[in-house]
Amino acid sequence: MRNKHIIAYIMLIFFSILVFGCSDINYVKSELTNTAKPSGGIEEDIPATKTFSVNESKLRNAVLSVLDQQGYIYEENPSTGTIKTEPQPLSGQRDSGFMGAIYSAKLFIKIAKSSLTLNARFNKESNLTMGGQNLQFSEKENALRKDFFDAVNNELALK
């Protein structure tokens, strides 16, 4: 009777390895060695600040419109020109079933005259390891900046 349980357990482990495949094993390894990061990102260094050829009011309206379009919940402080978003789950994340991590981004935006500064920090929730708050992933932050600045450019072109 006990041998049947052991055999069933071994078969379950073997089946799990087949189902989850090698990529998931590599992901689990990166989680356990604390080198896991959100998928995507770019190596190109995108400066945190970009200047647009519009006034502050038009830039602010475009930024708020993009935040709304991208589904961010945000809090604005008009007296300082800053906007802080609630954590938003990243799209296109690596899907590792029950062994994966969920990453979310918080944006910190400052509008000053015709300049827009965007910084991002990341939260991580993992089923394998301790998560983290306010983590930095420069490649993913560069991708978020590029996409956000492009979206603001497109929004300004529409108006």
Side-chain angles (χ1 to χ4, degrees), residues 10-157:
I10 290 172
M11 288 179 65
L12 179 63
I13 291 172
F14 180 71
F15 181 72
S16 296
I17 290 171
L18 287 176
V19 169
F20 293 116
C22 293
S23 64
D24 285 334
I25 292 172
N26 289 333
Y27 183 76
V28 169
K29 181 181 175 185
S30 69
E31 275 284 321
L32 295 175
T33 58
N34 204 24
T35 58
K37 59 184 178 180
S39 60
I42 57 174
E43 290 186 26
E44 177 186 0
D45 185 35
I46 306 297
T49 301
K50 181 172 181 172
T51 302
F52 295 84
S53 57
V54 296
N55 65 35
E56 187 171 351
S57 176
K58 286 184 180 181
L59 181 57
R60 177 189 167 273
N61 289 338
V63 167
L64 295 178
S65 179
V66 169
L67 287 171
D68 288 337
Q69 291 168 20
Q70 293 182 352
Y72 281 97
I73 297 171
Y74 55 88
E75 183 179 315
E76 180 183 18
N77 184 340
S79 66
T80 62
T82 58
I83 302 168
K84 177 183 170 185
T85 70
E86 294 291 321
Q88 167 98 356
L90 297 175
S91 60
Q93 292 186 74
R94 181 187 327 243
D95 185 8
S96 297
F98 70 91
M99 294 187 287
I102 297 173
Y103 295 91
S104 57
K106 296 186 289 187
L107 304 181
F108 299 90
I109 298 169
K110 177 148 181 72
I111 301 170
K113 296 184 182 177
S114 61
S115 293
L116 170 63
T117 302
L118 185 142
N119 291 297
R121 293 298 175 263
F122 301 90
N123 293 345
K124 174 183 170 183
E125 295 177 27
S126 174
N127 295 328
L128 293 175
T129 60
M130 285 188 62
Q133 301 279 323
N134 297 318
L135 304 172
Q136 292 182 289
F137 299 106
S138 59
E139 291 172 356
K140 191 63 179 178
E141 186 173 14
N142 284 327
L144 285 174
R145 279 187 189 132
K146 183 177 183 335
D147 292 344
F148 195 84
F149 291 158
D150 288 348
V152 169
N153 267 333
N154 291 338
E155 187 67 25
L156 289 169

